[in-house]
Every structure is written in structure tokens, then in C-alpha cells.
Amino acid sequence: MAEPRRRLLPHLASLLLKYSYIISMVCYAAGLVTVLLLPALAKSTYISENALMPGSANPVFGAREAADAIRMADEVQSLVLKHADGYIAVQEWAVKHMSALSADCYLQPFSPPEKPLSSMRFYSSPQHTGRLSQNGTMEGIPGVNIVGIVRAPQAEGNEAVVLVTPFRVEGMLSTGDRLALGFGMALFELWGNSNWLAKDVIWVLADSRYSAYTAVAAWLQEYHEPRFDLPKDWGFSDPSTQAWLYAGEKLDGETLLDFKRAGTIAAGLVLYLTSGDGGVADCIKVSAEGPNGQMPNLDLINVVNSLAVWRQGLHMRVDTFADMQESASLNYLGQFLEKIGQLAGKVRADWGFVLTASMYVEGLATLFASVKNQALGLPTGAHGAFRNYQIDAVSLEMMAGGDFGTVNEQIDLLTKFGRLIEGVMRSVNNLLEKFHQSFFLYLLSAPNKFISVGVYMIPLGLLLLTLPLGAAALCSQSVKTAVASDSLNQTESDSTDVFSATPGKLSTEVVKAGEREPDNLVTAKTSVGSWQRAVVVVSVVQLWASLTANFPPFVSQLVDSIMMNFSASSKAPAVMKFFTIPGLKMFMWATMAIVSLLTMVSFLPTPGKGDWIAVKALLLGVATIGLGVMSQIDFAVSLVGALVLVPMSLCACPLTNIWGKSADEHKGSKSIQFRLFLLLGTMVNIIGSPPVLLASAMYFIGDSSSWQASLSKFWEWTELLWCWGSALYPYILVVHLPCSILCIYILLS
Amino acid sequence: MRKLVSLFLALALVFHVIRVQSQRLTEEEEFSEDLLLRPLPDGKVLAHFLFTNLLPPVKSHGHHHHRLFPKAIYQLVQKYHIQQMELSFTQGRWDYQRWGALDPITSANAKPIGVELWAVFDVPKDKVDATWRNLTHALSGLFCASINFLESPAIVATPGLQRGVSGYLRYGALPREAVCTENLTPWLKLLPCRDKAGLTTLLERPRIYNGHYHSLRIHLKSGEFNKNGPEGGTSLRQSLTLVLKPSKSAVVPERLKSLHSNWSLYLLFKKSLVGKCPLASSSQVHLELEGSLVKGLQNHATTEFLFISLWFDVADESQIVDKLNVVDNPGYLLMNALPNRILKEIPKSEWEEEQSVHVPCLLLDFEVQDYSKAYPLNVGLSWRAPIAWVPRQGPFRVTRFLTGSGNERGSIAIVLKANSESYLRSCSKFTPENKDAQVCALDEGASGIDVTIFEMVPWYVRLYFHTLKVVLDGQQVALRDVAKWMRVSPSEDRKSPAVLEMQLQVPYNTSVISLTVEFDKGYLRIDEHPPDANRGFDLPSALFTFPQLQTARSYGFVNTTANAVFDQPFFQTLLEEQLVQIYSENLLVHLATPDFSMPYNVITFTMTVLALYFGSLLNVLRRRLGEEERLQAKTTGSQHAGKLMTLISKYFGKRSDSKHNVQTRTPLLKLVLIISVAAGIAIYYILGL
């Protein structure tokens, strides 16, 4: 009778577990390399939706329209300078011109943004806009959006395209805003007189006295979620504003406040005009990142790109890290990749890829900026407000090469931009269906290069693979050590050689051992006990983390109410010598977190000797789940998080293992190299632990002049993340924080 | 009791049902053609072509060879026992605010986008659906349109209240139907002169389809199938309503920029009118000046301006409407033609006459037969002063929109906002200092403004009627406080649409009425999606009527107050009392749409998994342990023959002969089995989906 055949899959599994450390390291390294290789894997963009047909029609926007735009820009500026309230001047100007076109127009007052952290809403709704309270009052001066609608002559009117030009009046309009308004009006007139429109065009002149986002979000909210049951009292303190808004009744019986709609919004374009930042050529910068890394359909960016580059000869840019492009090490890497590409091309012609070092570095810088923008979870402009209603929108920042020099230069510039915007509008107008053909999940590594979800999932997959592998290895190891320590205590008469058994067979061996020796059952029980304790530890830390994540609104309200009391008694409390209010809030929050952590830890069961293995296995499991869930909410957060969290949690092991006498001597593997290895891991752990991370963050984002300033900076960041509903906030507090606390727990056990 | 009667009347009048029908009983077939032109406040021009075909009753005149009446239509009437039918093809939106809502022409011809069809049949109840189905197919063939889609009961409503009609009513709408010349040509074929002579020669296709509004309409009424025996003959009214924008001349001096563009028939249609259709009994062009426009002109008139036109009786000069001269005045110049007669609107009631605000409309008639090729009719207006006026608007302006986002749920909101210029309001005079003013134009005893709403929603938008909320001026009110009556028929999946009919009565001083009803978005099967499903799904327009308001306009000679009766069908049409009706815009709902390439992916993916499963299963089932061992022994034996050979066979996939022999048939069998199973499942999937 031959030996029992070894089954393939269990054998492979056992091999995997046996070499899990090496495999983990290889996987992690491969993940890192893949992240760095992403620019080389990027594909060129292409127009996926045939109906868009960019550039198929010749734009009619010409020098005459551009001259009109400049004339109207001057007109609005002179009106603003004359009028006491510049915003009303802009409103009057816009209403006059739009009515002359017999286009629909109206004004939409909106309340200022509500105070951050004044409510517990986090995921429920975009909360950047204030809502009227039940009695219809609010604080602050309301902003007023001006909206005009060109009705497409022969269309059904159930689809629309939105054009947004934010403006701000500070005594006068800035050159960019002034030109943007004139430019918008020229386009509006062009569309008002055209007969090719199939979708209505809505032009929103967003009053960005608070921010462009607030204005656009307020308008979109009224468009999609109007409240009929709230009496609207806009509390304009200024009587002239009141008079203009309410008495400005138009001839056909409507008031200027009559909100009008134009059907489903197909796309949104937010236009900014700025003078150049030292660039030579006229260029156009596209920002597309919405809340939590949501991107508009890639086709929209493609259309802008193809029209700007191929039709108008404009340079197109996306956000990038400029200083990264000078980095010497990245340049070496780029040259190395270039060599590899050439070499591969020599071996087989179709393997080769042309990627010059400068292209690679540029791609990497852009990619990292893209990842950063997505990971922060804050929209990069007013277009983010559209994404909350599943509307594809981008911000186009049109930058003049020079400084808006002469009128001729302006005309030349506006002609180019006008033809571009008209072309984009024609493309979107051609669209029969909504945007659905191209990608929604992608990263940009250049304006015309993208990395789709199928590619960028690979590095995350490689990184995440290591965690369950490590957990499984630890799990089998913990059972093994339990059995081993137990059987060592037993008589040697037992012939079962536990160690020679492959890990895959461990469970059966344990059961066998248990059957044979009643004492082994006790061992299994102690092992189970360590798992129970580990579960308690992990859940307590998780619970603490989720509680801590919900503290900020309470802390904020608490401090505010205390301050209110003190301000009533007109006596500043002693603490205010040390803290600013945000700093105090941050300090309170940190104190509450630490105190509650210490309280909770004091209730933990006393750890056993080998408990850390079970805790680490659970930690790895929790980290996998956390990162996996985060990747669904915001991929970039998950990718960046995995780069830090994976080595941290994999390398966690008790400090005693490094110097002290090893607990499991039978392993005999306490070589210098092993200890060095452990030391390295511990270093990684220390670097990744919250205090170090905080300190480094303080160094980078806070001004390092004083720790109080940094504290307030931290609080401001927390407020920001909370109010935008960024996925980074739950990641840091619910995934990263408990995991690093557990790492410290392991280090100290 | 009185309330009940008025309620009944209101019910009876929702669907164009003509209360005062003073249709002439003709002895002969008669055909007439009319063109109404009306300048609109935003500089555009309304052109309304009306072709009327009258057929005397068959019973009294016997079946005869039709000379003028289109045979195709007559056969429809005979075959499907149609009492009334209306079909409209519309492109573009009617702008109720700028183009008016209250006069007979706009109220009847402002139609929802796409195709709308309703018909009243005189057939037994169980045959109504079949008759409707056949009618849709017949019309589909007749007008080259996909009216046959209306055969599906899932998008056809049966308005619950029969509204004084003795037959059975069916209503359907296709909001996505595109309208083009393909529909116009068959429509023209129904006319005796086609487009060879008469007014139809104006219909230059590129011009009429480039306008802002285009509505082809057919209205058919037959007295042949009344329950109480035939009364009246059959009448067919074909109308084409256009709103055209006169092209601006390229260079306009700055001082003239505020003026409306000049227009004439030739400028609008690029054709001139050279004569009437020889078969038409009358052929007229009417130029209508709205009351508010006349008022605007009056305000603009100056005292020194007094032009006495030649064809007015000099004695009657003082009677000419308030010194306004219709041909040449400071406001405009009538170009190229002089009217054959000038008519003035006769106020409907004494109250209206008393109102100083109310200025009658003017109608200038031109007889087409007076013009010829040598002297074509090319009437037009040349503006001289910027005159702004507001058309007669309905009591409310209506918007309907969707709220919410996402593919799961949403709500339909209807908002009615009061028009301050409204006829009804100017009448009710609800000013703070005059709260107890007599409510005049309305029936006595009416306690508020009545609004009826008819809304039909396809089944895949699942309305929850219990969420219906009515908010008046920001105050939510209970439905029973405002609803006079309400009829709701919930939808049934793939069988019938949800229909909401209700009549609200709101106080006069209500300025905003909003209704919301929530819905869930349903799922469609993959084959139920139309092409371009990602565009979304159109919901037909809702219809709003105001039972207290009727549109009817009668004209008399300028110098008399007597109600002269003109018996041309055009004036008869104006005289008919109809309810003011306003259509809302149609809506676009995005449903969760599958990725249509996905079934392919699903099939390939499932097939791969199944293939793996079947492969390993077969492997297990067909393995013979004994044989395997024997083989193993053999291979170990053959190892002695040379390690090199085994290595080679390993790398080049060649196996030793003995192994080869055993396994030859297995993969083939496996393959056949897997392929057949896979094919079976694939077929099942494709058919099932």
C-alpha cells in the first residue's frame, strides 16, 4: 500500500501558511511596486459615448461675441461700482439682459451655511447648506443666486444642462469674476438665439460670498428637495434688498423669486476665469473630484480634453504635485523604468512601452494628487455639489497665460474659451441618454490618461491579501503552540509528533490528541480562553473608537455653552490663557478619549502569556474588514490607509520577544537576524502609532510654532472632515485608531 | 342642491365636451379654410390653420359618394362608432405665460408634447378596448406614427367620470413620439386641395418645423351614433398651430433693438398666398389683436394722430375703437393688405363690459379670394414702437416636477402659482380693503376657485396615494378640506396605469398650491426597456382644468354692440364653450437601468463556474482507483527507460502511449457534456431574460 496521496489544495494551503511571512512581504512589496507602476499602466482616454460627437459642429462663438462679453463685463463692473450693494447691481444687470432675451430668470435667496458640528448628521445628507429652521428664521445675511434659463425651442424641456459662474463682490468684482460674468452672458445670449438646443440651459450666477459650493448646493437643494411647508422669510435686513426682491414684479405676473425648473439635469459646468499663474500658454484646468472621491463620468472630461486640445489648441491641466516632479529619486526610478521599457521592446516588440522618465514622474505626481484629492474626501470645487444628486459635473478653470493684458488679448482668449464651452455644450446637447458609457471609477495620471478600477484594484488587492494570510498563519500557530506547550508537559510516551505534522493537518491532530488524552482537552480550553480574552480586548477597543468618533459635536456644544456662560459674566476663564477655543475643543476631545480609553482598559481581563497571538490575528481580521469596507466608500482612503496599516499590523509583536528571553524556546529561532527583523517591525509600528503620526501631521499641516496653534488646526481639520462627511474621518477614527491601539497593546504585552 | 348641480356641470365639462353646440345642419358637404395670425408678446407670431369639413347626417341624406369629406376618416367613424375623437401631434412647448392660456384657440390647441389621443365610442362596454385597439392601429397606419403603442392597456386611461358623454372614453398619450413631415403628409392628404392650392400652400416644411411650437390636430365629431338617434352630421376639424419667430434682419440699428421684429406671411413662410382652395366655401385670413395689445396701442396713440381709413363709413368714424386705427398707427403699420372687415370682441357678460380694464380684441379679416398671383396676400405687421402686453393668462400657472434623487424613490410635485393678472382674480377683486367684493364672473354660490387635475402615471412609477399632500401657501391642509371629489385608480403592474383625478377648491386668495405624491421606482424586465433606456422614461403631461372658466369668444362688427352671428365654421369654433385647460410639462424619470452588456458577462461567468464544477465532478465520478494505481506503477516502470524521456514528455505535453490510450475518450466526452449543458443553460438564460 502506497503512502496516502497528498491532496493538492490542502498542501498548497499549508505551504502558504508555512511561508506566510515571506509571501506577505512579497505581496506587500508587489503592492508598493504596483502603486509606483500605475502611471505606466495608465491607458489613454477615449470617447466612449458615440452620441457626444465632440467637435462635429463648428462653434459660432467668435470675436464679436467675445467683444460683447468684454463690453458686458465692463458694464457690470461700472454698475457694481455705482451701486451701494454690489450684489443687487449684478442682479439688476443680469435680470435686465436675460429678460431682454425673453429667457426665464429668477433670484434664489439662500441661507448661510450652518455652523459646523451643530448636528449629528454625518452620512445622512450633504450638510454644508443651512436649512431654514421650522420657524423660518436664520442667522446671517442670505446670499442670492441669480438664475437664467434658456428654453430649448423644440424640445420637451425635461432635460437641462447647468452652467455655473461663481462671483463675489468685495467692493468691486475681481477681473476674473467680471470677465466670467460677461463671458457667461455672451454664451447665454448665444444659446438664447440658437435653434439647435435640445436641452434647456440653466445659467446659475452663484453668489459665492460664503463659498461657491454653498451657493450651488443651496440652489441644487431647492431644485431637488424643495420644502413647500415652510413659510419663506428671508430676513433681509436691508430694506432696499427687500424692495428689489419683492416689488420687482415682472410684467407677466411673476415675481423675481419665482423658482423655476427645467427637468432632469444632465451635466454641470462650473466656470472660473483667472489670470495666469506664470504659465506661458493659455490653459484650462479641470477639477472633477466630488465628495469622497466620487468622480464624474470620464466622458465629460474626455470631451473637454479633446475639444480643448485638438480644437482650440489650449493646454489642459489637472491637479498635480509640482514639487514632486523635481524629485531626484523619482527621476531615477523613471529612468530605470524607461530602460526596462526599451529592453522589453527589444525582447519582443509588443512588450515594449514608451515611457520617458519625465512622463513617468509627471504621471506619478498627477496620480498622487488625484489620490490625495480623493482620499481627503472633500470636493475640489463647486462641482462637488452636483455629485450629491448623481449629476456629472466638472469645474473648468480657464487660465490666461498672461495677465489679461490688452483688450485684444482678452478677445482672443475669450474666443478660444467660448468656442470650447460652446463645443462642450453641443456635445452634451447631442447626448440622448444620460452619461453612462464611460468610467465612473478611475484615477487620472494625466488629462488624457486614466487608470480604471480594474487596474488600481490590483495594488490594494495585493496589500489586503497579506492580512488574512497573516491572520490564518497566526491562528494555526496559536493552536499549534497551545498543543505544543501542552504536549511538552505531557509524557513523552505520546508518539504523536505534533511538530512534524503539517499545519494543514493540525486541527485533526488536535482533535486526535484530544480524543486520546483527556488532559489535552484542557489545553484546547486554555487556547479557547485566550481567544475569548482577545475578542473582549478587540471589541472594547473598537467600541471605544466608535464612541470617540462621535464625541466632537458634544465637545463642541459643551465648550460653546461654557463659553457662552463665561461671556455672559464677561470674565475669561483661566484656561483661555493657554488655549484658543478650537484648541480647547481639541484638548477636551483628546482628554475625553484618553480618559475613556484608560477606564476601559482597566476593565480588561488580565492577559495570558500567549494572548498576543490571538489578539494579533483578530487585529489583522479587523483591519482587513475595515480596509475592505473603506475601499467601497472611498477607494483612495483605503489604498493610502493600507500602505500604512498593513505593515504596522503585520509587524506587531511583543517587545519582550526582541530582547527578553524568548517564551517559546523550543523554536530555537532566536537568531540575531530574527531579532533584528522584529526590531525593524517594531520601528514601523512606532512610526505608525497615533502619537508619532499626530506629531508628523502637526509638523506638516499645523504651523509648528506652538502646540496650541497646532491643536486648533487639528480641530479645524476635524470640523472640516465632519462637515463634508469625508470618509477619511471614519477611517482614521474607526479603522486606523483602534488598530494602532491594538498594535500598542501587542507591543506592550 | 345648487352645489351638486354645479358639481355635475363641472364634471361634465372636463374633456372638451361642448355644451353649447350650435352646429349648423348642412345640406351639402362643406369645406372651409381659415388662417388665424396673432402677434405674441415676445415677438413671435402664432399661426393657426383651421380646415373644417362638414358632412350632413347619413340618415337624412343617405350614403353618398363623398366629394370632399375624406373617405378614410368616414370609414373610421363608421367602423369604430366614434362619437368624438381627437388626435394631436405636438413638437415644442406652449408657453402659457407669454402666449396666453385663456382664449379658445390656445386653450384647445396647446397640447402636450408627442401624441395625444382620446376617443369616445358608442359600442357595447365589453368591446370598447378592442375597438380602441383597432382604432390605434388604423390611425397608426393612417398617420405614419407609432400610435399603435397605445393599444397596450398599461398606458391607456379610462377617465372614471364619464363627464356627460354617452359613450365610452379612452385616453392615451405618447410623450416620446417624434413629430415630423411624415405625419404632416398624411394629414394634408385628408384635405380636398392637399397642399396644392389655398392656405396649405404656405406650409413650407423647413419653416414650419423650425418654429417654437408645432401642433397638428385632428378633431372628429360625429352625431351618427348618439343613443337618441343621429343628430347632426360629422365634422372633421384639422388644425395646425404654429408659433414662429420672425427672423431678425441681420443689422438692426440700436434704436430699433427694443422693437419686435416685423413680419409678414412671406417672411414667416417664405411663400405668399396666391388664392384660395377652389373647393373651399370660404377661405379667410384673420389677424387677431389681443385686448391687452389693443390697450397698449391705445395708450400709445397720440391725439394728433387721426387717420381715417377709406373703407369705414365716415359716419361711424367716432365708433372706431377708441381712436385706434387698425391699419396705420403709432404702434405699428399693417403691411401689404387692407382688411375686408374689422370685427370686435363682444363681451361675454355685462360684468365684463363694465370692466374698464377689459378692452375687446380686434379681428381683421382678409378674403383670400380677392388675391391672385399678380397681387398675392402678404399681410404683415411693421412695428413702430415698443409695445409690451400680457396675454390673458389662466388663474394659475402650473409646474410639475420630480423631486429627490437616486434610483429608488422620489416624488412628483405639482405647484400651481396664482397669476396676478388672471382674469378670474381681476374679477374676484380680493384686495385687502375690498374683501367682500362681489364674486362676479363665477357662478353665484361658488366659494373658491376650482381646479381639476387629471394625471396618468405608468405602472413602473409606483405612486403611493396615501402620501398625497396638499400645501396651500406654506400651510399643509387636510385633503378632505380642499378636495371636492377625487378618484384614484392604482396601477397594476403591466396592466394599467395609475390615474389620479381630483377637483380642488381653494380660497380665492390662495397664491401657491402644491401637491406632492411619493413614489417608488419599479423594475422593468430586460425586454421591456425601450431603446436608449438610459435616457429615462417619459411620464405624460398632467391636465389641469378650471371648471369655472370657459373660453368662448364672439365677434361682432365694430360699430354695433349686437351679437352678429357669423356662420363660418371658424367663428363657430370660437363660440364653442370649452373649459380652460392647461397641460403641464412631461417628466423624465430615471429608473435603475441594467447594463445591457451584463447578461453576456453573467452568462460567460456562470458558464465558467459550471464548467469547472462539472469538470471536477466528472473527474471524481469517472476515476477508477485501481487503474490509476496500475498506471502509476507503469509510469514508475517507464522511469527506468530514461529520465530524459519523462522530462521531455512533461514539458512538451506528450504522454506515454499507454496513458494516452486510456484517456483518449474521456476529454471528448467531458467536452461534449459540458458544452451541451452550458448551451442548455445559456439558452435558458437568454429565453428567460
Coordinates of all heavy atoms in Angstrom, one line a residue, chain B residues 630-647 649 654-659:
Chain B
R630 N -2.4 1.2 -11.2 CA -1.7 0.5 -12.2 C -0.9 1.4 -13.1 O 0.2 1.1 -13.4 CB -2.7 -0.3 -13.0 CG -2.2 -1.5 -13.9 CD -3.3 -2.4 -14.2 NE -4.4 -1.7 -14.9 CZ -4.4 -1.4 -16.2 NH1 -3.4 -1.7 -16.9 NH2 -5.5 -0.8 -16.7
L631 N -1.5 2.5 -13.5 CA -0.9 3.5 -14.3 C 0.4 4.0 -13.6 O 1.4 4.2 -14.2 CB -1.8 4.6 -14.6 CG -2.7 4.4 -15.9 CD1 -3.7 5.5 -16.0 CD2 -1.8 4.3 -17.1
Q632 N 0.2 4.3 -12.3 CA 1.3 4.9 -11.6 C 2.5 3.9 -11.6 O 3.6 4.3 -11.8 CB 0.8 5.2 -10.1 CG 1.1 6.6 -9.7 CD 0.4 7.0 -8.5 OE1 -0.1 6.1 -7.7 NE2 0.3 8.2 -8.2
A633 N 2.1 2.7 -11.4 CA 3.1 1.6 -11.4 C 3.8 1.6 -12.7 O 5.1 1.5 -12.8 CB 2.5 0.3 -11.1
K634 N 3.0 1.8 -13.8 CA 3.6 1.7 -15.1 C 4.5 2.9 -15.4 O 5.6 2.7 -15.9 CB 2.5 1.8 -16.1 CG 2.0 0.4 -16.6 CD 1.2 0.5 -17.9 CE 0.8 -0.9 -18.3 NZ -0.1 -0.8 -19.5
T635 N 4.1 4.1 -14.9 CA 4.9 5.2 -15.2 C 6.2 5.1 -14.4 O 7.3 5.5 -14.9 CB 4.2 6.5 -14.8 OG1 3.5 6.3 -13.6 CG2 3.3 7.0 -15.9
T636 N 6.1 4.6 -13.2 CA 7.3 4.4 -12.4 C 8.2 3.4 -13.1 O 9.4 3.6 -13.2 CB 7.0 4.0 -11.0 OG1 6.1 3.0 -11.0 CG2 6.6 5.1 -10.1
G637 N 7.6 2.4 -13.8 CA 8.3 1.5 -14.5 C 9.0 2.2 -15.7 O 10.2 1.9 -16.0
S638 N 8.3 3.1 -16.3 CA 8.8 3.7 -17.5 C 9.9 4.6 -17.2 O 10.7 5.0 -18.1 CB 7.7 4.4 -18.3 OG 7.3 5.5 -17.6
Q639 N 9.9 5.1 -15.9 CA 11.0 6.0 -15.5 C 12.4 5.4 -15.7 O 13.3 6.0 -16.0 CB 10.8 6.4 -14.0 CG 10.1 7.7 -13.9 CD 9.9 8.1 -12.5 OE1 10.2 7.3 -11.6 NE2 9.2 9.2 -12.2
H640 N 12.4 4.0 -15.6 CA 13.7 3.3 -15.8 C 14.1 3.5 -17.2 O 15.3 3.5 -17.5 CB 13.5 1.8 -15.4 CG 13.2 1.6 -14.0 ND1 14.2 1.9 -13.0 CD2 12.1 1.2 -13.4 CE1 13.6 1.7 -11.8 NE2 12.4 1.3 -12.0
A641 N 13.2 3.7 -18.1 CA 13.5 3.7 -19.5 C 14.4 5.0 -19.8 O 15.2 5.0 -20.6 CB 12.3 3.8 -20.4
G642 N 14.2 6.0 -19.1 CA 15.0 7.2 -19.2 C 14.4 8.4 -18.6 O 13.2 8.7 -18.9
K643 N 15.1 9.1 -17.8 CA 14.6 10.3 -17.2 C 14.4 11.3 -18.2 O 13.5 12.2 -18.1 CB 15.6 10.8 -16.1 CG 15.3 10.1 -14.8 CD 16.1 10.8 -13.7 CE 15.8 10.1 -12.3 NZ 16.7 10.6 -11.3
L644 N 15.2 11.3 -19.2 CA 15.1 12.3 -20.2 C 13.7 12.3 -20.9 O 13.1 13.4 -21.1 CB 16.2 12.1 -21.3 CG 16.5 13.3 -22.2 CD1 17.1 14.4 -21.4 CD2 17.4 12.9 -23.3
M645 N 13.3 11.1 -21.2 CA 12.0 10.9 -21.9 C 10.9 11.5 -21.1 O 10.0 12.2 -21.6 CB 11.7 9.5 -22.2 CG 12.6 8.9 -23.4 SD 12.4 9.9 -24.9 CE 10.8 9.4 -25.4
T646 N 10.9 11.2 -19.8 CA 9.8 11.7 -19.0 C 9.8 13.2 -18.9 O 8.8 13.9 -18.9 CB 9.9 11.2 -17.5 OG1 11.2 11.3 -17.1 CG2 9.4 9.8 -17.4
L647 N 11.1 13.7 -18.8 CA 11.2 15.2 -18.8 C 10.6 15.8 -20.0 O 9.8 16.7 -20.0 CB 12.7 15.6 -18.6 CG 13.2 15.9 -17.2 CD1 14.6 16.3 -17.3 CD2 12.3 17.0 -16.7
S649 N 8.5 14.5 -22.0 CA 7.1 14.4 -22.1 C 6.4 15.3 -21.2 O 5.3 15.9 -21.5 CB 6.6 12.9 -21.8 OG 7.0 12.7 -20.4
K654 N 3.6 15.6 -24.2 CA 3.4 14.3 -24.8 C 3.4 13.3 -23.7 O 4.1 13.3 -22.7 CB 4.6 13.9 -25.7 CG 4.4 14.5 -27.1 CD 5.5 14.0 -28.0 CE 5.5 14.6 -29.4 NZ 6.6 14.3 -30.1
R655 N 2.5 12.4 -23.8 CA 2.4 11.4 -22.8 C 2.7 10.0 -23.3 O 2.7 9.8 -24.5 CB 0.9 11.4 -22.2 CG 0.6 12.7 -21.7 CD -0.7 12.8 -21.0 NE -0.7 14.1 -20.3 CZ -1.6 14.3 -19.4 NH1 -2.5 13.4 -19.1 NH2 -1.6 15.5 -18.8
S656 N 3.1 9.2 -22.4 CA 3.4 7.9 -22.9 C 2.2 7.2 -23.5 O 1.0 7.5 -23.1 CB 4.0 7.1 -21.7 OG 3.0 7.1 -20.7
D657 N 2.4 6.3 -24.3 CA 1.4 5.7 -25.2 C 0.3 5.1 -24.3 O -0.9 5.3 -24.6 CB 1.9 4.7 -26.1 CG 2.7 5.4 -27.3 OD1 2.5 6.7 -27.3 OD2 3.3 4.7 -28.0
S658 N 0.7 4.4 -23.3 CA -0.3 3.6 -22.5 C -1.3 4.6 -21.9 O -2.5 4.4 -22.0 CB 0.4 2.8 -21.5 OG 1.2 3.7 -20.7
K659 N -0.8 5.7 -21.3 CA -1.7 6.7 -20.7 C -2.6 7.3 -21.7 O -3.8 7.5 -21.5 CB -0.8 7.8 -20.1 CG -1.5 8.5 -19.0 CD -0.6 9.4 -18.3 CE -1.3 10.1 -17.1 NZ -0.3 10.9 -16.3

